[in-house]
Amino acid sequence: MKLDFTDRTVLVTGGTRGIGRAIVDAFAGAGARVAFTYRSATAEAEALRADLEARGAEVLAFQSDAASTASAQEVVDAVLAAWGRLDVLVNNAGITRDGLMLRLTEEDWDAVINTNLKSVFNFARAAYRPMMKQRSGAIVNISSVVGVMGNPGQTNYAASKAGIIGFSKSLAKELGRRGVTVNVVAPGYVATDMTAELSEQAREAMLGAVPLGRPARPEDVAHAVLFLASPAAAYITGHVLHVDGGLAM
Ligand code: NAD
């Protein structure tokens, strides 16, 4: 089935690189109007917008710290003002600040929880009312296998990603009768700038545990997001879809 998002409006947080960029690309390629946020990479955001527009897509780019509740509201309001509706919200923005518990600082904890988890609250809260009124919408939140399995050195990251799963299941139960689905994609090891920071040893150890024997491409994650946001997944909500080559089974 070809997924067609013509006339659909999509908002993706953290869209200028890695998984977020692949998601933005895939939605634009499927005909959607795509808005994306970025924290500070203005040049990359402008280049992405120009590239997508050259391919005929309608695009909006917003500089916005996903951890800011007020900024999330402003972004959603601007999308609604421009396009009149919000069909799909993808909460992708995320960071790591790894370290064993003993060395983890309060700042490391707050930065990761606010960027990865509070951001999901921020944007879902802003999208809640418009999607409820439309009586349709799809929210897809990007968690991680680490939120399911845990990982030494990532207590803050794992807590944020496990939090996303509990949040999403609760919201799915709140919004189900309004025709809004809320699902989670939990990627395993994806080849992006985020994992480029890992040591060769850590990367090899992780790959050794992946039955499919390769890291995910950002596009592998994007395909799962598009599916969950499409009418083909209309009867799926509160689900955690692992895109991890079999890592967490
Ligand atoms: P990345 O570092 O390449 O990209 C992250 C994006 O989030 C960037 O565009 C960055 O600018 C944006 N971002 C970070 N903080 C932000 C903020 N405060 N406000 C707005 N945007 C912000 O990482 P990625 O690998 O593409 O990761 C994307 C998502 O996928 C993250 O939520 C990450 O936790 C998750 N994930 C990644 C992997 C992996 O192996 N790479 C695995 C599982 C889950």
Side-chain angles (χ1 to χ4, degrees), residues 14 16-19 39 64-66 92-95 115 142-144 157 161 187-190 192-195:
T16 52
R17 69 181 207 187
I19 293 169
R39 186 181 35 182
S64 166
D65 180 354
N92 163 79
I95 57 167
T115 303
I142 308 298
S143 175
S144 165
Y157 185 75
K161 294 300 185 182
Y189 170 18
V190 191
T192 66
D193 291 322
M194 184 180 271
T195 44

Side-chain angles (χ1 to χ4, degrees), residues 94-113 116 144 146-147 150-161 193-199 202-203 206:
I95 57 167
T96 52
R97 290 277 183 89
D98 297 350
L100 294 175
M101 232 340 245
L102 266 180
R103 274 183 241 123
L104 211 63
T105 65
E106 182 182 359
E107 209 264 319
D108 294 331
W109 176 267
D110 287 345
V112 168
I113 296 295
N116 297 8
S144 165
V146 169
N151 200 25
Q154 290 199 307
T155 49
N156 52 355
Y157 185 75
S160 72
K161 294 300 185 182
D193 291 322
M194 184 180 271
T195 44
E197 286 172 14
L198 292 172
S199 70
R203 230 176 299 163
M206 202 162 0

Side-chain angles (χ1 to χ4, degrees), residues 15-105:
T16 52
R17 69 181 207 187
I19 293 169
R21 186 184 177 124
I23 294 169
V24 168
D25 258 340
F27 273 116
R33 294 169 167 153
V34 188
F36 66 88
T37 70
Y38 61 97
R39 186 181 35 182
S40 54
T42 308
E44 286 84 346
E46 284 310 314
L48 175 58
R49 181 157 60 145
D51 177 45
L52 294 171
E53 283 176 350
R55 283 152 53 195
E58 266 188 74
V59 185
L60 294 170
F62 299 96
Q63 181 164 22
S64 166
D65 180 354
S68 160
T69 308
S71 179
Q73 185 67 55
E74 283 169 19
V75 169
V76 170
D77 287 348
V79 172
L80 292 171
W83 292 335
R85 54 187 294 120
L86 178 60
D87 296 299
V88 179
L89 167 65
V90 183
N91 282 302
N92 163 79
I95 57 167
T96 52
R97 290 277 183 89
D98 297 350
L100 294 175
M101 232 340 245
L102 266 180
R103 274 183 241 123
L104 211 63
T105 65

